[in-house]
């Protein structure tokens, strides 16, 4: 079976990737689960489809699963959701040997992972992601958690990253590596195409960061990927996961190089919560990656040809590369200061240097960011605003 191994000493694990793997989760889970009893925390969006297949496979392998549904929404990615799972697991008498198995997208994987990290001080965890975004990003690397509103944050702002702050995205969590990740690319057949494209943005991100040949592979196979050709999808997922795996191995707890995985995300967090733009996460990341590339261009640290190739590949995957409506660039700049990845008022951004290489740039001047937002279609009245540059 195609796979990627993560080497993290006693927390090492295998990511298995194969069409049809969902029907074999029972035997994979048995290798990692000392108890026949387990909790399957399943995304309500796939409970009747992929969830049912996984549960049948677990039962066929001798498991007695407790099935508990979780809602795949940012608002319900909460401590209340974990409390519901703890209650069900305690009522069923699940002990420390009983694994938690997550089936679904990234939100459910994050919540289930946090339940696994905290129930009885930690139980084995298995991830079965069913969205492309969860397959190539969220399910690998051990980040788990829930949202928790900041004390005193405004009710429900819809402006920039202030809204993320109000939602308190991923403020409560833990690093808790899974014992295994099982990826079945066939599950992508039921994924809405818009969600598939959002996952593709993260694959392109991995190519830009570390692997020009992955970038070329996506470019050469865009039509086959969008047509869900299973062999091409398997290769795409395997290569994307391999890049994430190598970065996580080098920096499990994001003390350094793991921050590269945030390419495009600081820009994205400024626009994702703006309701009128109606952007999904991957779409905001696509716009954010192009903005980051243009920022690097204005800093003189990337060739224009590479910036064009990034924008063209994303467009060929039908991802947006510009804002769908004009927004004030200075407002977006201010919103970026709410992002938890900006430190001490300076702009710390991930900037591509070429396709296949990126760097963590400290002290990026604000005017470069405003310039990049304007390239993305933002409006900016330079005479009306006093933008403070943040050094560098
Ligand atoms: N999603 C970014 C990371 O896992 O570090």
């Amino acid at each position: 079976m195609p796979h990627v191994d993560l080497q993290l000493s006693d927390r090492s694990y295998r990511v298995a990737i194969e069409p049809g793997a969902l029907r074999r989760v029972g035997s994979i889970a048995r290798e990692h689960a000392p108890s026949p009893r387990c909790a399957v925390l399943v995304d309500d969006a796939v409970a009747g489809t992929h969830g049912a297949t996984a549960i049948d496979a677990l039962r066929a392998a001798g498991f007695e699963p407790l099935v508990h549904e979780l809602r795949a929404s940012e608002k319900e990615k909460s401590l209340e959701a974990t409390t519901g799972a703890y209650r069900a697991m305690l009522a069923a008498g699940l002990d420390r040997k009983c694994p938690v198995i997550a089936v679904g997208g990234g939100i459910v994987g994050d919540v289930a992972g946090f339940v696994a990290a905290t129930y009885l001080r930690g139980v084995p965890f298995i991830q079965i992601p069913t969205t492309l975004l969860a397959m190539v990003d969220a399910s690998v690397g051990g980040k788990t958690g829930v949202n928790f509103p900041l004390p005193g944050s405004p009710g429900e702002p819809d402006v920039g990253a202030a809204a993320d702050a109000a939602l308190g995205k991923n403020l409560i969590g833990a690093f808790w590596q899974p014992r295994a990740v099982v990826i079945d690319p066939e599950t992508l057949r039921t994924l809405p195409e818009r969600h598939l494209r959002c996952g593709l943005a993260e694959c392109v991100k991995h190519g830009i960061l570390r692997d020009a040949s992955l970038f070329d592979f996506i470019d050469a196979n865009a039509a086959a990927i969008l047509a869900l050709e299973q062999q091409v999808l398997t290769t795409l997922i395997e290569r994307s996961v391999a890049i994430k795996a190598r970065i996580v191995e080098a920096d499990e707890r994001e003390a350094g190089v793991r921050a590269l995985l945030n390419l495009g995300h600081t820009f994205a967090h400024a626009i994702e919560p703006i309701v009128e733009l109606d952007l999904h996460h991957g779409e905001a990341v696509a716009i954010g990656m192009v903005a980051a590339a243009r920022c690097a261009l204005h800093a003189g640290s990337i060739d224009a040809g590479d910036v064009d190739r990034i924008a063209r590949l994303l467009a060929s995957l039908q991802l947006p590369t510009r804002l769908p409506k004009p927004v004030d660039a200075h407002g977006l700049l201010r919103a970026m200061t709410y992002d938890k990845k900006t430190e001490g008022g300076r702009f710390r951004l991930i900037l591509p240097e070429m396709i296949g290489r990126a760097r963590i740039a400290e002290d990026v001047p604000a005017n470069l960011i405003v310039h990049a937002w304007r390239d993305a279609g933002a409006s900016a009245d330079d005479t009306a605003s006093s933008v403070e540059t943040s050094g560098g």
Side-chain angles (χ1 to χ4, degrees):
M1 190 183 286
H3 62 267
V4 175
D5 287 327
L6 258 93
Q7 304 296 348
L8 292 168
S9 61
D10 62 344
R11 295 174 310 292
S12 298
Y13 54 98
R14 173 162 290 189
V15 181
I17 308 144
E18 192 179 52
L22 196 58
R23 293 187 290 278
R24 290 188 282 285
V25 291
S27 54
I28 296 173
R30 235 191 358 232
E31 291 169 31
H32 303 281
S35 162
R37 308 185 66 209
C38 62
V40 177
L41 303 190
V42 60
D43 192 322
D44 63 342
V46 297
T49 52
H50 310 313
T53 307
I55 289 159
D56 285 350
L58 289 164
R59 288 204 173 110
F63 282 96
E64 298 156 29
L66 162 78
V67 180
H68 181 82
E69 277 188 34
L70 293 171
R71 287 175 62 85
S73 99
E74 285 290 348
K75 284 221 167 102
E76 288 170 69
K77 186 180 179 184
S78 62
L79 285 176
E80 286 72 31
T82 65
T83 302
Y86 299 141
R87 282 214 180 94
M89 290 162 69
L90 287 168
L94 297 191
D95 65 25
R96 206 169 266 155
K97 295 198 196 83
C98 302
V100 166
I101 302 177
V103 184
I107 292 178
V108 165
D110 282 6
V111 175
F114 187 64
V115 169
T118 48
Y119 184 72
L120 304 179
R121 299 201 182 92
V123 297
F125 179 43
I126 294 173
Q127 285 264 28
I128 307 176
T130 60
T131 66
L132 184 59
L133 201 137
M135 290 173 182
V136 300
D137 188 16
S139 68
V140 178
K143 282 189 180 175
T144 75
V146 296
N147 301 330
F148 192 89
L150 284 173
S153 64
E156 296 209 350
D158 60 358
V159 180
D164 266 5
L167 199 54
K169 275 183 98 166
N170 301 324
L171 287 185
I172 306 295
F175 284 97
W176 192 251
Q177 298 292 346
R179 299 273 175 98
V181 182
V182 183
I183 296 178
D184 183 345
E186 278 179 7
T187 60
L188 299 178
R189 292 191 198 282
T190 59
L191 188 69
E193 206 178 305
R194 190 170 177 189
H195 293 256
L196 181 81
R197 290 195 212 110
C198 285
L200 288 174
E202 301 286 346
C203 298
V204 172
K205 181 190 82 177
H206 289 153
I208 297 171
L209 288 180
R210 275 288 164 95
D211 186 351
S213 70
L214 171 62
F215 187 97
D216 294 342
F217 176 84
I218 300 170
D219 204 4
N221 291 283
I225 291 167
L226 291 171
L228 301 177
E229 280 187 21
Q230 292 294 302
Q231 195 48 56
V232 177
L233 276 180
T234 303
T235 305
L236 171 73
I237 296 165
E238 189 183 351
R239 294 186 62 173
S240 291
V241 168
I243 289 166
K244 176 141 190 194
R246 301 293 83 84
I247 290 176
V248 171
E249 284 169 350
D251 177 23
E252 185 179 358
R253 290 186 169 242
E254 198 168 315
V257 75
R258 186 164 176 169
L260 289 176
L261 293 168
N262 297 325
L263 172 66
H265 283 62
T266 303
F267 286 93
H269 288 163
I271 52 177
E272 200 178 337
I274 302 177
V275 177
E276 307 83 69
L277 296 182
D278 184 28
L279 293 169
H280 285 199
H281 177 69
E283 294 165 342
V285 168
I287 295 169
M289 287 193 292
V290 175
R294 292 209 198 286
C295 204
L297 182 67
H298 298 313
S301 55
I302 190 172
D303 282 349
D306 279 347
V307 179
D308 285 348
R309 284 195 68 209
I310 291 169
R312 265 191 281 120
L313 177 57
L314 291 166
S316 78
L317 297 169
Q318 297 159 42
L319 283 159
T321 56
R322 292 170 57 80
L323 294 167
K325 289 181 188 163
V327 184
D328 175 48
H330 298 294
L332 294 177
L333 182 76
R334 276 193 299 279
M336 287 168 76
T337 63
Y338 286 95
D339 192 282
K340 65 180 185 297
K341 291 169 207 77
T342 60
E343 287 176 1
R346 295 171 295 145
F347 287 89
R348 182 174 192 262
L349 294 174
I350 312 305
L351 299 183
E353 295 185 307
M354 58 192 290
I355 290 168
R357 199 172 75 205
R359 72 187 165 102
I360 302 169
E362 311 285 350
D363 297 329
V364 177
N367 61 324
L368 297 191
I369 298 169
V370 170
H371 201 158
W373 276 127
R374 288 172 67 174
D375 296 341
S379 54
D381 177 358
D382 286 337
T383 55
S385 179
S386 58
V387 181
E388 285 167 23
T389 55
S390 51

